[in-house]
Amino acid sequence: MSSPLLARKGRHQQRYDNQLRLVAGCIPYKVKADDGNRSGDLLGRVEVLMITSPGRLDLVFPKGGWEIDETAGEAACREAMEEAGVKGILNDTDLGVWEFRSKSRQNSCTMEGTCKGYMFALEVTEELDCYPEKDNRDRKWVPLGEAYELCRYDWMREALDSFKNLLTEKLVSTVPDLSVSSSFCIVKPTAADHAIALC
């Protein structure tokens, strides 16, 4: 069944930085419920969503052209919805910026086909059954550790390293200081506490 949602097409609104095509993408993730073993291993419960490229079996993260009428974060959310059929909460602090060649220009000696990509973390809150590129891509949830093995490019593994650091910092920043008082209350952080945007 095709999706009633439409993907943007063409490059007439594409952003460039000199000769570099600007792209934005994300690492969609979810944290599985604690299975009761109380190991406290947050990273062991994280799964990331990877997708196939059209006509290929290798797995990548959703990303695509950053257009002139949107922020990098908005572009990342749009690409996640179009390519992977997910929506969620985007952490507006980018994981980093990487330069890489598009898959069609891997062996080129010129700057043509070189992209400058901004990657973000997207906590998935909704998986769509129908989305624009459903017929062209497969999606697969994988444990964080396995994602490293599936990454085709070094920059993707570097983005996963930044993602792990972000999750670790988030975990540390929400742990209460127990030395102050014997009674405490843990409050789930709000969107305002972490400067995140809802996509």
Side-chain angles (χ1 to χ4, degrees):
M1 180 174 157
S2 63
S3 172
L5 302 171
L6 299 176
R8 290 186 175 193
K9 301 258 187 232
R11 296 205 174 151
H12 60 283
Q13 293 194 73
Q14 175 64 57
R15 287 180 190 251
Y16 289 88
D17 180 4
N18 294 318
Q19 294 180 333
L20 303 178
R21 179 176 177 238
L22 299 183
V23 300
C26 64
I27 298 177
Y29 75 97
K30 63 183 176 183
V31 180
K32 295 188 308 184
D34 190 347
D35 60 8
N37 68 11
R38 302 288 179 208
S39 67
D41 181 19
L42 172 70
L43 295 179
R45 294 186 291 127
V46 172
E47 291 185 332
V48 298
L49 183 63
M50 299 182 80
I51 57 173
T52 57
S53 295
R56 300 175 75 129
L57 297 177
D58 57 328
L59 295 171
V60 296
F61 299 116
K63 68 177 180 344
W66 173 12
E67 298 187 353
I68 59 175
D69 64 340
E70 59 191 354
T71 66
E74 290 168 341
C77 286
R78 177 179 50 76
E79 291 295 335
M81 188 280 299
E82 289 177 0
E83 294 184 352
V86 293
K87 295 181 178 183
I89 301 169
L90 186 80
N91 187 308
D92 69 352
T93 302
D94 65 63
L95 298 173
V97 181
W98 289 270
E99 288 186 17
F100 52 88
R101 294 201 181 274
S102 67
K103 63 180 175 255
S104 62
R105 301 285 187 187
Q106 287 296 307
N107 298 320
S108 175
C109 295
T110 68
M111 288 295 288
E112 185 179 0
T114 302
C115 300
K116 185 175 184 179
Y118 296 76
M119 294 294 291
F120 298 86
L122 178 76
E123 184 177 3
V124 174
T125 58
E126 183 179 2
E127 276 186 74
L128 305 173
D129 292 327
C130 294
Y131 51 98
E133 298 188 26
K134 179 182 173 74
D135 294 337
N136 300 325
R137 298 179 184 272
D138 292 325
R139 59 185 177 185
K140 181 178 181 181
W141 285 102
V142 297
L144 183 56
E146 185 181 332
Y148 279 93
E149 299 168 20
L150 296 172
C151 289
R152 179 176 181 170
Y153 304 108
D154 288 338
W155 73 264
M156 292 172 61
R157 282 182 280 279
E158 291 170 9
L160 280 173
D161 285 339
S162 294
F163 171 68
K164 277 176 53 175
N165 290 339
L166 178 75
L167 286 182
T168 303
E169 290 169 10
K170 187 175 181 179
L171 177 64
V172 169
S173 70
T174 59
V175 173
D177 181 1
L178 299 179
S179 64
V180 175
S181 171
S182 61
S183 63
F184 63 92
C185 177
I186 297 176
V187 178
K188 185 174 181 177
T190 65
D193 293 332
H194 288 288
I196 49 182
L198 183 60
C199 298

